[in-house]
Amino acid sequence: MDTDLSRSQIVRWRTAIFAIFLASGLSIATWASRVPAIKQSLGVDNIQIGLLLLGMGVASILGLSVAPIVLARLGAKRGMLGGLLLVAVGVTVIGVGTDLVHSYSVVLLGLALFGFGNGSVDVMMNVEGAAIEKQTGKTILPLFHAFFSFGTVIGAGLGVAAVAMDLAVVVHASIIAVLIVVIAVLSVANVPAREITGDEQATSAPQGWRDRLHTAMSAWREPRTYALGVVMLGMAFAEGGANDWLPLALVDGHDADQALGAAGLAVFSIAMTVFRVFGGPLVDRFGRVTVLRVLALTAAAGLLLFILAPTLPLVFVGAALWGAGASLGFPLGMSAAADDPAHAAARVSAAATIGYVAFLCGPPVLGFISEHIGLLETLFIVVGLIVASGLFSGAARPLVPTAREPLPEHKM
């Protein structure tokens, strides 16, 4: 970690990563808010939408897999810029495939580019966020993820406006793509070139592919990685399921129109954003484990209300509780993975991979199941995974004991 950065450099670095988190959320909500329109334009069913999501998920996992080496070899500046440019191209191609050529294959190609770019950027921006957290000595990863949620709120709001104005998906997507490029270029200019230390140095040092793979995979041999993985898996399912299926669940399951479907995603995203903004101080006061357990209960109760509520107002209350409860699982999992700065890159990468497998591959699985039992009924699976997340939250105890959260007698 660099120690000679001035306060203004740290502020610019932090602001740049805030903006990159926002751009990622903006891109995802843009896609999610237009899923009903894309489904209608292409004339496909939930299984085919699920296949699109699966293609995006596979590409995202590939992006996650190469991100640690890209980060170590090229640095965060070039790595994040390249990833965000791929995201912008992918969003544009999705719009072209939907409205200009009406091609399922072109939309799939766009989602593959979109997924690969977002997957690689996710690892890099979380590693950078963890580095800033260690530099400042404060729990701020939830706030970084709040900016991801700000992006989803903005994206969902723009989606509502686009639907209300009957704006073609290709026009909407192209505008967002230009905005992402502008954010990328302005942001990476303020990311410092950090010294590579610890496991990052080992990954980037000249060595054979076998040794490099051994270094990158080191975190996967630690039991705590898998315990944290359960925490993140349940909450990533909760968040990813909402981003990809909440609007359609409102439209198909509760007979709402497309604008209300997009509005439901906006309510979910606003609730998630609010809790991420205030999450850091809550964690510093009550500890990671207590906060995670309370929010898991909140998410499970909110999702049950969303599924079972007989009226739309109650459905929207359920969406808000669902978003609030799912807000901190992913960022606190990242923060826990980065407790030891000497191994932060490998552990954050592993944690991000587990979360993203659930975040991106979970929703396609839900799509397949929903074709047989219904979309609302399928969401009961997510309730069970949220409960599991709460039960394994003890894995998020700090590696260095604190007065609020001492180490347990035996490690999880």
Side-chain angles (χ1 to χ4, degrees):
M1 174 72 63
D2 290 338
T3 58
D4 58 351
L5 294 177
S6 67
R7 178 174 176 79
S8 64
Q9 286 176 310
I10 294 172
V11 170
R12 291 198 302 271
W13 181 17
R14 186 179 61 194
T15 302
I17 303 304
F18 280 149
I20 290 170
F21 269 89
L22 185 145
S24 180
L26 174 65
S27 69
I28 289 173
T30 298
W31 147 255
S33 67
R34 301 312 301 266
V35 166
I38 293 169
K39 178 183 178 183
Q40 182 178 10
S41 177
L42 296 180
V44 297
D45 58 22
N46 283 356
I47 290 180
Q48 289 168 300
I49 292 290
L51 286 172
L52 288 176
L53 294 171
L54 180 61
M56 179 176 67
V58 170
S60 298
I61 292 169
L62 292 174
L64 288 165
S65 300
V66 304
I69 294 174
V70 171
L71 177 61
R73 302 292 287 185
L74 301 180
K77 293 170 71 73
R78 286 183 290 175
M80 290 189 293
L81 177 61
L84 287 172
L85 292 179
L86 272 181
V87 170
V89 171
V91 169
T92 303
V93 173
I94 291 169
V96 171
T98 300
D99 288 327
L100 299 186
V101 297
H102 301 283
S103 169
Y104 185 88
S105 298
V106 172
V107 172
L108 179 60
L109 172 62
L111 281 169
L113 296 171
F114 170 85
F116 186 91
N118 254 326
S120 61
V121 168
D122 188 84
V123 171
M124 290 183 274
M125 69 187 186
N126 274 289
V127 169
E128 289 295 292
I132 296 169
E133 192 171 64
K134 297 305 177 185
Q135 181 85 47
T136 60
K138 297 179 181 178
T139 302
I140 58 173
L141 265 173
L143 187 57
F144 282 116
H145 284 259
F147 273 77
F148 175 89
S149 296
F150 285 143
T152 64
V153 170
I154 294 169
L158 292 175
V160 172
V163 171
M165 294 186 297
D166 199 24
L167 197 65
V169 175
V170 65
V171 176
H172 179 195
S174 297
I175 293 170
I176 298 300
V178 171
L179 183 57
I180 290 171
V181 170
V182 171
I183 291 173
V185 172
L186 294 178
S187 297
V188 298
N190 291 291
V191 175
R194 297 191 294 122
E195 287 184 15
I196 298 174
T197 58
D199 58 320
E200 291 176 340
Q201 187 176 35
T203 303
S204 63
Q207 55 184 325
W209 280 106
R210 184 174 298 177
D211 292 336
R212 189 173 297 150
L213 180 62
H214 183 272
T215 299
M217 296 294 289
S218 61
W220 294 102
R221 296 190 296 274
E222 301 170 358
R224 185 171 181 259
T225 295
Y226 296 96
L228 285 173
V230 176
V231 175
M232 296 180 66
L233 184 143
M235 291 305 183
F237 253 94
E239 184 177 352
N243 286 336
D244 287 318
W245 292 114
L246 191 155
L248 200 58
L250 270 165
V251 172
D252 290 354
H254 289 291
D255 298 321
D257 59 32
Q258 287 190 18
L260 282 176
L265 179 61
V267 168
F268 173 93
S269 300
I270 290 169
M272 176 170 281
T273 302
V274 169
F275 273 78
R276 283 179 170 172
V277 168
F278 295 103
L282 286 175
V283 172
D284 289 337
R285 180 172 181 181
F286 298 108
R288 288 180 195 151
V289 176
T290 298
V291 170
L292 283 171
R293 287 174 178 166
V294 170
L295 291 184
L297 180 62
T298 302
L303 182 49
L304 285 172
L305 182 59
F306 179 89
I307 296 168
L308 300 172
T311 64
L312 281 177
L314 286 177
V315 171
F316 276 79
V317 171
L321 292 173
W322 179 5
S327 60
L328 299 186
F330 204 90
L332 291 186
M334 294 293 192
S335 186
D339 274 345
D340 181 359
H343 302 283
R347 288 171 177 169
V348 168
S349 176
T353 299
I354 294 173
Y356 251 71
V357 166
F359 187 76
L360 296 166
C361 295
V365 173
L366 297 179
F368 286 120
I369 297 172
S370 73
E371 283 295 311
H372 300 284
I373 65 174
L375 187 51
L376 289 179
E377 291 77 7
T378 300
L379 293 177
F380 283 113
I381 297 171
V382 180
V383 176
L385 292 171
I386 292 170
V387 171
S389 178
L391 293 175
F392 276 78
S393 60
R397 284 190 178 91
L399 291 177
V400 178
T402 65
R404 180 67 61 184
E405 293 180 290
L407 286 176
E409 292 182 3
H410 62 280
K411 293 182 180 179
M412 180 168 281

